[in-house]
Amino acid sequence: MKPKLVALLGPARGKTYSLDEPRIDLGRLASNRICVPDQSVSRRHCLFEIQSERITLRDLESRNGTRVNGVPVMGRVLEDGDVIEVGDSQFLFLREDPPPEASGPLVTIQEISLEGANTVKLSGRLGTRLKLGVPDPSDTEISRKAHDLDVLLRINNALNQVRELEPLARQLLAMVFEVIPAARGAILLSGERADTWEPTFGWRREEEEQCAVPVSRAVLNQVISESTGILSTDTRADPALRNSESLFKARVAALLCAPLMVFDKLIGVVYLDTPDLTRPFDPDHLALLMGIAGVAAPALENVLRVSRLEAENRRLVDEIRVQHNMVGESERIRQVQQFIAKVAPTESTVLIKGESGTGKELVARAIHYLSRRSSRPFVAINCAAIPENLLEAELFGHERGAFTGAVGLKRGKLEMASGGTLFLDEISELAPPLQAKLLRVLQEREFERVGGTAPVKVDLRIVSATNRNLEDSIRAAAFRQDLFFRLNVVSVTLPPLRERREDIPLLAHYFIARLAKQCGRRVRSISPSVRACLMRYDWPGNVRELENAIEHAIVLGAGDVIEVEDLPESLLEFQPGTGGEMTRFHEALQLTKRQLILEAMSNSQGVYTEAAKRLGLHPNYLHRLIRNLNLRDEVRKPSS
């Protein structure tokens, strides 16, 4: 018999120590028979006592303790193959030398029949359960191990079938609850930035929906630093955890935490806890959770990687779309592009001004995708599109039970945008109470969810946009001046399309190329008369209206060239064309419209609503007709 220790991890890795004396001590001091120069190892850490064939390991009240096969021990008779952990070092205990290697080939292929009563065959799919026979009901240990193995096989099967992160995490925790008496469970994955954690899924055993599960940072730090599982059978008696305020508030009596490791890289943790000590955790639960974590880690990493690749692909597609949609060669649009190039690399808050349809969100996306935050989310919200009573929860999120229908915790847009950019469109429509809350976010970079009390820290860049004059809103006491100063650090005003008419043909051809494909039409270009019509029109709806006009012409047109008759009527009403039979037709049509409108306005004494009623038109449409036909001065004249 030649018992020995083989160093697997630590400063002595690769060395072999013979246990050939009655007493052999191990520690950091050079005077120890086995010296391990590691600060995590005590000066005199543990002692090996050899008596005949019995070898006992004793801990010498070391600072970090001694563990055998992951279990802390004070004294333990060693068995062949035991793994001993002292600090950050790990040793393998071997009672006998391994048998000598046989000469010849390492692998031989022989014709051996596998037919027989002792052979168990499993199909390629692990969906069928392993048949272990009917265990003796009195042997609870065998029954438990059989059940554990069955669950482990089913977990492996589920991991190979689920391709989305949340369903995968839910199914994993549901199966873990089958074999471990935990009340709550959570899976946390490491974020894209160092030292960040993303709560992926939290679940209470008795609830159907996912929910918030508090996890102690002390536990996370210990798992991160040691890359090993943690079992605390009584947190109140554990010196390392009994002072944890978060565990005390959450009424955590016992906990388990196992690292998710992929090729020596920590990608996350599986966390379980319970307030009930009548159903305790034991070392077998930790061993099982470590096994489950080992099986689940590669699948979770693959799903996470796929989701991040999909998000990155969407980001790149959006970025390409942004670059192509910034169509134009006019001086005004070049100035906007130069502004984006200067502002994007900074962290400054940006205010984008401009009429509706000028591309304010397009500029906001360009600023984001050209910034250092481009790999993080771009979250857009239209402050005018959501009712005031819902906008607060949409922005800031809410806690469970904050109001009727709040069945679970919901992260708001601010939290979702953390690390990236939040775009607030139509910022002038933000209600005064929400303006005050947003001001705090800009000042402190923190907020509280609806119904919550704990502050939530965020790291984001805010880009806002408005089609109104915010200075006028401040004078009317509809917008906070201090918020305006915070938002208006740097600003740009986007030019309306009528002020960059030279870009209209470029935009028209861009929209033809994109929309013709979407509509399944083969359209090549626009006719000269259409070009002239587009150039004359004032485009109150700007680029968005031009896009809609081109789509209208593509859908209703018949040829491969857009003609005047394919355009929306509002464009033709604005200004008559020149030359040709079609031009005379439109001239006659517009002359008739002018006469009808003037007659209706005269008969209604200049009252727009009454004139619109006589003509069978909506008042807004009548206003537009009068503006497009240049009739404003004539309808103001007193009737003769």
Side-chain angles (χ1 to χ4, degrees):
M1 183 180 74
K2 299 177 182 179
K4 60 184 64 178
L5 290 179
V6 179
L8 302 178
L9 294 175
R13 180 178 179 179
K15 292 184 179 179
T16 301
Y17 302 92
S18 296
L19 303 180
D20 51 6
E21 297 180 12
R23 294 170 62 89
I24 296 177
D25 51 0
L26 181 153
R28 193 171 74 244
L29 294 177
S31 57
N32 289 283
R33 173 74 166 75
I34 301 176
C35 176
V36 181
D38 186 351
Q39 290 300 316
S40 65
V41 177
S42 298
R43 292 190 178 98
R44 294 189 72 246
H45 199 104
C46 59
L47 177 69
F48 295 89
E49 295 179 335
I50 295 90
Q51 297 175 345
S52 184
E53 295 184 359
R54 182 187 178 96
I55 300 178
T56 305
L57 171 65
R58 300 192 186 279
D59 182 77
L60 300 177
E61 299 182 353
S62 63
R63 183 178 72 250
N64 295 325
T66 302
R67 297 180 295 278
V68 176
N69 300 327
V71 180
V73 298
M74 290 300 296
R76 171 78 173 263
V77 176
L78 296 176
E79 301 286 343
D80 187 41
D82 282 346
V83 176
I84 302 162
E85 297 173 62
V86 289
D88 294 332
S89 296
Q90 197 176 84
F91 298 87
L92 175 66
F93 171 72
L94 295 176
R95 181 175 289 279
E96 297 179 353
D97 289 331
E101 295 182 0
S103 59
L106 297 177
V107 179
T108 60
I109 301 175
Q110 301 178 2
E111 298 293 336
I112 300 176
S113 173
L114 293 178
E115 298 297 330
N118 295 328
T119 300
V120 177
K121 295 183 179 180
L122 293 177
S123 64
R125 294 183 60 206
L126 292 175
T128 56
R129 299 189 179 188
L130 182 61
K131 304 299 183 182
L132 297 176
V134 180
D136 183 355
S138 63
D139 194 338
T140 57
E141 183 177 355
I142 292 179
S143 297
R144 174 176 168 178
K145 290 185 180 297
H147 183 53
D148 291 352
L149 179 58
D150 176 63
V151 170
L152 193 60
L153 290 172
R154 288 194 287 125
I155 286 175
N156 186 75
N157 183 41
L159 295 176
N160 292 328
Q161 294 181 354
V162 183
R163 291 291 180 267
E164 294 182 7
L165 191 57
E166 185 175 315
L168 180 61
R170 175 190 290 274
Q171 196 161 353
L172 180 61
L173 283 179
M175 292 183 179
V176 168
F177 283 168
E178 290 186 29
V179 289
I180 299 178
R184 294 174 295 201
I187 294 176
L188 294 89
L189 299 178
S190 58
E192 295 184 3
R193 295 179 299 158
D195 302 326
T196 60
W197 291 87
E198 297 178 357
T200 301
F201 195 81
W203 200 11
R204 287 185 175 91
R205 180 185 288 269
E206 69 275 7
E207 300 197 11
E208 295 293 331
E209 299 296 328
Q210 71 175 97
C211 59
V213 174
V215 178
S216 169
R217 186 166 293 278
V219 173
L220 285 178
N221 290 339
Q222 192 170 346
V223 173
I224 295 169
S225 61
E226 299 181 7
S227 294
T228 187
I230 291 177
L231 163 64
S232 178
T233 55
D234 189 350
T235 59
R236 293 165 292 189
D238 192 327
L241 300 175
R242 62 189 175 194
N243 294 324
S244 174
E245 185 178 351
S246 60
L247 292 177
F248 176 77
K249 288 182 178 179
R251 298 188 302 110
V252 175
L255 62 86
L256 286 167
C257 192
L260 294 163
M261 304 289 297
V262 178
F263 298 117
D264 296 329
K265 175 188 175 185
L266 182 71
I267 68 161
V269 298
V270 181
Y271 171 87
L272 305 173
D273 70 32
T274 181
D276 184 8
L277 286 180
T278 62
R279 301 183 66 196
F281 297 150
D282 57 39
D284 286 342
H285 288 136
L286 177 60
L288 178 60
L289 187 62
M290 291 287 287
I292 292 173
V295 171
L300 287 168
E301 187 197 36
N302 287 338
V303 172
L304 186 63
R305 183 179 299 171
V306 168
S307 65
R308 286 175 176 169
L309 286 174
E310 289 175 347
E312 176 69 7
N313 183 60
R314 288 192 297 269
R315 183 189 70 81
L316 291 173
V317 170
D318 287 342
E319 183 174 351
I320 292 171
R321 186 179 297 122
V322 165
Q323 292 172 350
H324 283 253
N325 279 359
M326 296 298 293
V327 176
E329 297 180 355
S330 64
E331 181 60 28
R332 295 293 300 276
I333 204 65
R334 288 184 187 276
Q335 291 173 1
V336 173
Q337 292 169 343
Q338 290 171 4
F339 173 86
I340 294 171
K342 289 180 180 179
V343 169
T346 72
E347 290 294 307
S348 299
T349 304
V350 181
L351 177 62
I352 305 171
K353 306 174 186 178
E355 298 178 4
S356 294
T358 50
K360 295 187 289 295
E361 182 172 346
L362 200 65
V363 172
R365 288 184 180 274
I367 291 172
H368 170 74
Y369 291 129
L370 295 175
S371 73
R372 290 188 291 268
R373 297 175 178 267
S374 59
S375 61
R376 304 297 294 161
F378 176 88
V379 178
I381 184 167
N382 189 323
C383 300
I386 302 174
E388 180 182 339
N389 59 333
L390 300 179
L391 185 57
E392 182 178 11
E394 191 72 19
L395 271 174
F396 300 98
H398 61 73
E399 298 284 351
R400 182 185 180 192
F403 49 82
T404 303
V407 294
L409 181 146
K410 178 185 176 183
R411 297 168 62 202
K413 298 291 188 182
L414 284 165
E415 206 168 343
M416 292 168 59
S418 187
T421 303
L422 177 69
F423 175 57
L424 297 172
D425 199 6
E426 307 293 354
I427 190 68
S428 60
E429 303 300 321
L430 202 62
L434 295 184
Q435 292 179 27
K437 280 197 166 189
L438 181 60
L439 180 63
R440 184 193 173 197
V441 174
L442 288 165
Q443 292 173 336
E444 308 296 337
R445 287 300 191 265
E446 69 177 26
F447 65 94
E448 294 173 2
R449 299 190 189 100
V450 177
T453 56
V456 179
K457 293 283 187 181
V458 287
D459 168 31
L460 50 77
R461 182 182 193 175
I462 292 182
V463 178
S464 55
T466 180
N467 62 355
R468 294 190 180 184
N469 189 317
L470 289 182
E471 288 89 341
D472 291 343
S473 299
I474 292 170
R475 285 189 287 271
F479 200 83
R480 295 177 63 109
Q481 187 176 40
D482 48 3
L483 177 59
F484 172 72
F485 291 145
R486 286 284 182 177
L487 295 173
N488 193 37
V489 177
V490 289
S491 64
V492 62
T493 301
L494 303 188
L497 190 55
R498 61 183 173 273
E499 294 182 8
R500 56 182 187 108
R501 293 183 185 273
E502 58 267 48
D503 292 332
I504 291 175
L506 295 175
L507 286 163
H509 284 94
Y510 166 74
F511 290 133
I512 287 172
R514 181 166 64 83
L515 296 172
K517 185 176 181 181
Q518 290 181 7
C519 298
R521 287 283 319 282
R522 184 174 180 178
V523 180
R524 294 185 293 106
S525 62
I526 58 177
S527 67
S529 56
V530 169
R531 177 189 172 99
C533 185
L534 297 180
M535 293 292 286
R536 289 193 187 97
Y537 188 58
D538 271 352
W539 300 107
N542 294 294
V543 178
R544 188 181 297 126
E545 186 181 6
L546 173 61
E547 181 180 7
N548 292 341
I550 296 298
E551 184 172 1
H552 177 281
I554 290 174
V555 171
L556 298 182
D560 58 357
V561 176
I562 294 177
E563 300 292 349
V564 172
E565 59 267 25
D566 300 328
L567 295 174
E569 190 176 350
S570 58
L571 271 69
L572 304 177
E573 293 166 350
F574 178 73
Q575 183 71 28
T578 57
E581 294 296 326
M582 187 61 66
T583 299
R584 289 197 294 272
F585 168 77
H586 283 292
E587 287 178 349
L589 182 62
Q590 288 195 353
L591 180 60
T592 303
K593 287 182 178 181
R594 291 168 64 91
Q595 292 173 347
L596 289 172
I597 291 171
L598 291 173
E599 182 180 349
M601 290 294 294
S602 175
N603 293 337
S604 61
Q605 304 299 316
V607 179
Y608 276 82
T609 53
E610 180 64 26
K613 185 176 180 180
R614 288 174 178 270
L615 293 169
L617 302 174
H618 192 280
N620 291 343
Y621 184 52
L622 177 59
H623 276 281
R624 191 175 69 176
L625 284 173
I626 291 173
R627 181 182 67 246
N628 291 345
L629 294 170
N630 295 322
L631 293 175
R632 287 179 179 176
D633 293 336
E634 294 188 48
V635 299
R636 288 173 185 164
K637 294 178 182 178
S639 57
S640 55

